[in-house]
Amino acid sequence: MTERQQNVEFHHLVQQVLREIDRQEAQMHGGAAARMTTSGVSPVRALVDAVISEAAEDGASDIHVEPQASSVRIRIRLDGLLQVRHELPKKVYAVFLSCIKVLAKMDVSQSREPQDGRFTFSREGGDVDVRAATMSSVNGEAIVLRLLPRDGHVWELGALGFSENDEARIRTLLQSPSGITAWVGPMGAGKTTTLYAGLSELNRQETSILTLDDPVEYLLPGVLQIPVREEAGKTFAEMFRHVLRLDAEIFAVGEMRDKETAEVALRAALTGHRVLTTLHADDACLAVLRLLEMHLPPYLLAATLRGVIAQRLVRRICPDCRESYEADPGEAEALGVPAGTTLYRGRGCPACHGTGYRGRMVLAEVLVLTDEMRKEIVHGVEIEELRALAKKAGLQTMREDGREKVLAGETTWEEVRRMLSEA
């Protein structure tokens, strides 16, 4: 469906809802006893379904529905950035929001306190798990929907955009017979996607793999996947201790967010298990210091940490409107190339909703620990010293990776600078 067709359908559904609201208001004013409920307003459910279906079809990760002064804005997060798609009259939004609350088993009468809920949305392309969160604002109650496709499509490692050298290093880490490998970066950097791409390569009939996630975003046949319900009082560390008894060779832990979880991971690695996990850190070397700041014994960390993959996601240039141009002096200087070097960008077209970008790829740096690094970690390594050792061992920084991808015409320098503040 084209963007114009989506807008026409949305407008048509909004008008249907308005007519239904007017009809029910007329009934109430006429003395009818019936109160207006979302269950009796089928156009409202059709409107909710249309908004979620459109976002899912476009590959959005989130839907933001935000009251403004005189209307309600609907934005979707596509390729990491928010795009405005529609506006709702506030009169329609009241029943639109109530419908979602009913679906997510929230308290429809509560509008001041934050609420969380979830439901499954069924569509032709497959079921989608929807996580809903509300929050009161000065203009009314806002709601954000996180979309998690139930099919859990797992990417292949080779399709994520890693350089040939980084991909080889990651495969070496994945094949380590024991130890910890961590994927790091901010929220939305694709850490879990890459981790599961690696798990997919390790998934063999003769290998026992177990995952702990909150929530489970990808489904891997043959892998024992366990959801961690922290709201129910179950922590990653507590669940990790229990699953250590289940005789798995490989554990994937959704996030190593505290000392307790990290200590269990160290113990598992020391007893011969492979542990794959994620961590919030700006780059690969800072991740090592972040683990040390959790007050883990340096000698145990040095003995068990195999490597760190730091990454960001940048948008790919849209293949349908890709065009060449000559680099301006500022770009040329930043990239270390002569002025006038041929670069590429997207003009903007219907296929990319006018952005010039479609899809995303990884910028990465892969740190594989050496014996020299391990010795320094034990003795209290400083960040600059660790960076120097990493460079000596062949680490290519995310900035350097971005430069190569710009010169190859895969993304733009503007996009690399957006994701890497130091670029």
Side-chain angles (χ1 to χ4, degrees):
M1 187 183 294
T2 66
E3 189 170 346
R4 183 177 181 278
Q5 289 172 324
Q6 289 171 344
N7 287 333
V8 169
E9 181 186 4
F10 179 84
H11 180 73
H12 175 69
L13 289 169
V14 168
Q15 293 306 310
Q16 281 188 318
V17 175
L18 283 170
R19 285 194 294 271
E20 183 66 18
I21 291 172
D22 290 342
R23 184 185 67 80
Q24 292 203 19
E25 285 179 346
Q27 284 182 347
M28 288 189 288
H29 291 321
R35 287 191 301 168
M36 185 170 171
T37 62
T38 56
S39 59
V41 187
S42 59
V44 176
R45 179 58 193 270
L47 181 61
V48 169
D49 288 355
V51 169
I52 298 175
S53 183
E54 177 188 325
E57 182 180 330
D58 287 346
S61 60
D62 302 87
I63 304 170
H64 290 235
V65 191
E66 306 153 326
Q68 307 297 300
S70 58
S71 64
V72 177
R73 180 177 63 181
I74 298 178
R75 296 190 291 174
I76 68 169
R77 188 174 295 280
L78 189 61
D79 294 335
L81 294 181
L82 288 168
Q83 298 179 7
V84 176
R85 283 301 173 87
H86 302 294
E87 281 196 357
L88 276 174
K90 286 204 168 183
K91 192 174 186 179
V92 171
Y93 179 56
V95 291
F96 179 91
L97 178 60
S98 293
C99 181
I100 294 176
K101 284 185 172 182
V102 169
L103 291 170
K105 296 181 173 56
M106 296 179 182
D107 184 351
V108 178
S109 65
Q110 177 58 260
S111 61
R112 295 184 180 276
E113 295 297 323
Q115 295 190 72
D116 295 292
R118 61 183 69 197
F119 60 94
T120 299
F121 175 73
S122 298
R123 57 187 289 267
E124 190 175 331
D127 289 351
V128 177
D129 283 331
V130 182
R131 289 194 292 166
T134 66
M135 178 65 72
S136 180
S137 74
V138 292
N139 290 315
E141 196 173 10
I143 188 163
V144 175
L145 307 177
R146 167 63 56 89
L147 308 183
L148 301 170
R150 184 74 69 82
D151 61 8
H153 167 69
V154 177
W155 288 77
E156 293 183 3
L157 193 59
L160 297 176
F162 288 101
S163 69
E164 188 176 325
N165 184 52
D166 282 347
E167 191 176 323
R169 284 174 161 233
I170 292 171
R171 287 201 165 93
T172 298
L173 290 172
L174 290 170
Q175 295 301 328
S176 298
S178 64
I180 299 170
T181 298
W183 277 263
V184 306
M187 185 179 71
K191 303 183 293 293
T192 302
T193 299
T194 308
L195 188 156
Y196 267 83
L199 277 182
S200 181
E201 295 202 358
L202 297 173
N203 190 13
R204 300 288 183 270
Q205 189 173 356
E206 64 275 10
T207 304
S208 175
I209 301 175
L210 187 148
T211 73
L212 292 173
D213 280 300
D214 180 23
V216 176
E217 295 186 34
Y218 299 96
L219 300 178
L220 276 176
V223 172
L224 184 58
Q225 297 181 261
I226 300 173
V228 178
R229 304 292 188 195
E230 292 206 322
E231 68 272 16
K234 297 293 185 180
T235 66
F236 272 100
E238 184 181 357
M239 295 294 290
F240 201 172
R241 286 194 191 91
H242 287 302
V243 301
L244 281 175
R245 307 185 188 103
L246 297 183
D247 190 35
E249 288 97 4
I250 301 170
F251 294 101
V253 183
E255 186 179 349
M256 198 150 64
R257 61 182 69 173
D258 53 44
K259 179 184 178 182
E260 194 178 7
T261 308
E263 286 175 339
V264 183
L266 287 180
R267 189 197 316 162
L270 282 170
T271 52
H273 298 91
R274 271 179 276 184
V275 179
L276 312 181
T277 189
T278 70
L279 185 71
H280 288 288
D282 283 341
D283 62 43
C285 292
L286 282 173
V288 177
L289 267 65
R290 167 82 195 282
L291 290 168
L292 288 170
E293 286 170 357
M294 290 183 182
H295 302 293
L296 300 174
Y299 72 96
L300 290 183
L301 183 63
T304 55
L305 186 63
R306 295 291 174 260
V308 181
I309 300 101
Q311 65 179 70
R312 302 288 190 279
L313 293 178
V314 293
R315 293 177 294 172
R316 295 180 185 266
I317 296 171
C318 175
D320 288 358
C321 60
R322 183 174 179 265
E323 64 179 11
S324 62
Y325 72 100
E326 292 185 355
D328 63 41
E331 283 179 314
E333 182 181 0
L335 290 166
V337 296
T341 295
T342 299
L343 300 178
Y344 294 87
R345 62 191 172 197
R347 279 191 316 276
C349 66
C352 61
H353 299 283
T355 64
Y357 299 95
R358 196 161 90 235
R360 290 191 287 179
M361 67 189 307
V362 165
L363 294 187
E365 58 187 44
V366 182
L367 174 67
V368 179
L369 267 70
T370 62
D371 289 341
E372 192 174 3
M373 291 179 203
R374 296 182 197 284
K375 289 178 185 176
E376 295 302 327
I377 289 172
V378 171
H379 295 127
V381 67
E382 297 292 335
I383 185 64
E384 293 307 322
E385 185 180 4
L386 184 58
R387 290 194 202 283
L389 291 174
K391 201 68 179 166
K392 178 182 173 183
L395 178 136
Q396 180 187 51
T397 66
M398 285 183 281
R399 185 186 190 281
E400 292 166 341
D401 190 30
R403 176 185 180 276
E404 289 189 3
K405 284 164 180 170
V406 170
L407 296 178
E410 296 174 294
T411 189
T412 64
W413 184 242
E414 179 184 16
E415 182 68 2
V416 172
R417 288 182 60 195
R418 182 178 71 83
M419 294 309 300
L420 303 176
S421 57
E422 76 280 5

